[in-house]
Amino acid sequence: DVKVTQSSRYLVKRTGEKVFLECVQDMDHENMFWYRQDPGLGLRLIYFSYDVKMKEKGDIPEGYSVSREKKERFSLILESASTNQTSMYLCASTLTQGRTSGDYEQYFGPGTRLTVT
Amino acid sequence: QKEVEQNSGPLSVPEGAIASLNCTYSDRGSQSFFWYRQYSGKSPELIMFIYSNGDKEDGRFTAQLNKASQYVSLLIRDSQPSDSATYLCAADSGGYQKVTFGIGTKLQVIP
């Protein structure tokens, strides 16, 4: 019943390191997302992708980049990790059936808790 | 700044009661609205999606949308202790892909 998986549940990195977070979905969803979740700030969109090799910035893209070389895989890259990037990172994928059908399918991965020291 | 506002709670209701969770949004252009349930230490789970004014029911859950008042609510009938979680409201802000989340309301169902 695995739907969205993330490469690590917990990760500890040092300031300045390059960090890769991977997300894989097995539902053939076209859209994939990276969010971070912080207490008091809620979920905030970092980047999303609506197709292979396509990406769009979300609300807080600074300090991050993404890669989507295959439909099922969406990677988040922290080019040079900083302490303010300590957070819970959540990947999600969605399948939009169309507004008139009333269907919208979305699943989140289990999250990666990243600590940057 | 497009915003989705929720009272962070906690909202406490007795078992068997109706829990009413509320949310307002600032972007009049928002078309689609979402409710998620998030248990402590877990990732969010989509439980309701609504885009038409009025009510949408799914089991014990009813989502209500009033676009004129920019107001979305979630009613949980016959609340159970297992419903204790944080409920996130979200609204699209540029299509399905860009969704703005509220900070969530923590619900506690008291046995």
Side-chain angles (χ1 to χ4, degrees):
Chain A
D1 194 38
V2 173
K3 291 182 168 55
V4 182
T5 57
Q6 294 183 227
S7 49
S8 304
R9 191 76 178 91
Y10 298 94
L11 208 52
V12 179
K13 295 292 182 181
R14 293 191 180 275
T15 302
E17 279 193 85
K18 192 167 186 175
V19 182
F20 293 87
L21 302 181
E22 278 214 322
C23 175
V24 178
Q25 51 97 2
D26 63 2
M27 297 163 288
D28 203 33
H29 284 174
E30 67 265 20
N31 309 305
M32 297 187 74
F33 306 79
W34 276 106
Y35 295 92
R36 62 179 284 179
Q37 187 172 31
D38 301 287
L41 295 176
L43 272 159
R44 292 179 292 167
L45 180 63
I46 304 171
Y47 267 99
F48 67 94
S49 169
Y50 52 90
D51 202 351
V52 175
K53 296 191 186 295
M54 305 304 289
K55 61 185 180 185
E56 284 205 26
K57 293 179 180 179
D59 297 318
I60 51 164
E62 297 79 18
Y64 303 95
S65 62
V66 290
S67 172
R68 193 168 181 198
E69 297 296 317
K70 293 185 178 181
K71 189 176 186 180
E72 67 271 19
R73 191 179 297 268
F74 191 36
S75 301
L76 179 70
I77 303 148
L78 285 67
E79 297 292 341
S80 177
S82 64
T83 54
N84 62 13
Q85 292 179 310
T86 291
S87 186
M88 171 66 83
Y89 288 88
L90 290 159
C91 175
S93 70
T94 68
L95 179 66
T96 308
Q97 304 278 18
R99 206 167 270 154
T100 55
S101 75
D103 290 331
Y104 183 80
E105 186 176 288
Q106 179 182 49
Y107 294 98
F108 278 85
T112 295
R113 184 162 294 282
L114 173 67
T115 302
V116 182
T117 62
Chain B
Q1 179 79 2
K2 296 168 183 174
E3 294 181 343
V4 175
E5 297 199 357
Q6 298 179 257
N7 188 319
S8 60
L11 172 68
S12 294
V13 299
E15 183 175 355
I18 296 175
S20 178
L21 302 156
N22 303 314
C23 169
T24 59
Y25 60 94
S26 64
D27 183 7
R28 284 203 171 271
S30 294
Q31 297 288 315
S32 302
F33 305 87
F34 310 83
W35 282 101
Y36 299 82
R37 177 176 61 199
Q38 186 173 24
Y39 292 113
S40 180
K42 302 292 186 182
S43 54
E45 174 192 9
L46 179 66
I47 55 173
M48 292 292 281
F49 163 59
I50 186 168
Y51 57 88
S52 298
N53 266 331
D55 295 0
K56 179 180 180 182
E57 189 174 315
D58 184 359
R60 294 186 297 111
F61 297 101
T62 299
Q64 299 176 318
L65 173 61
N66 183 326
K67 290 186 178 179
S69 301
Q70 296 177 243
Y71 180 90
V72 193
S73 64
L74 179 70
L75 301 179
I76 306 174
R77 289 182 300 281
D78 187 25
S79 295
Q80 301 297 308
S82 58
D83 294 326
S84 298
T86 296
Y87 289 81
L88 307 176
C89 174
D92 74 0
S93 51
Y96 281 152
Q97 319 313 339
K98 298 194 79 170
V99 173
T100 300
F101 285 81
I103 63 170
T105 298
K106 186 172 183 178
L107 174 67
Q108 296 176 336
V109 181
I110 312 301

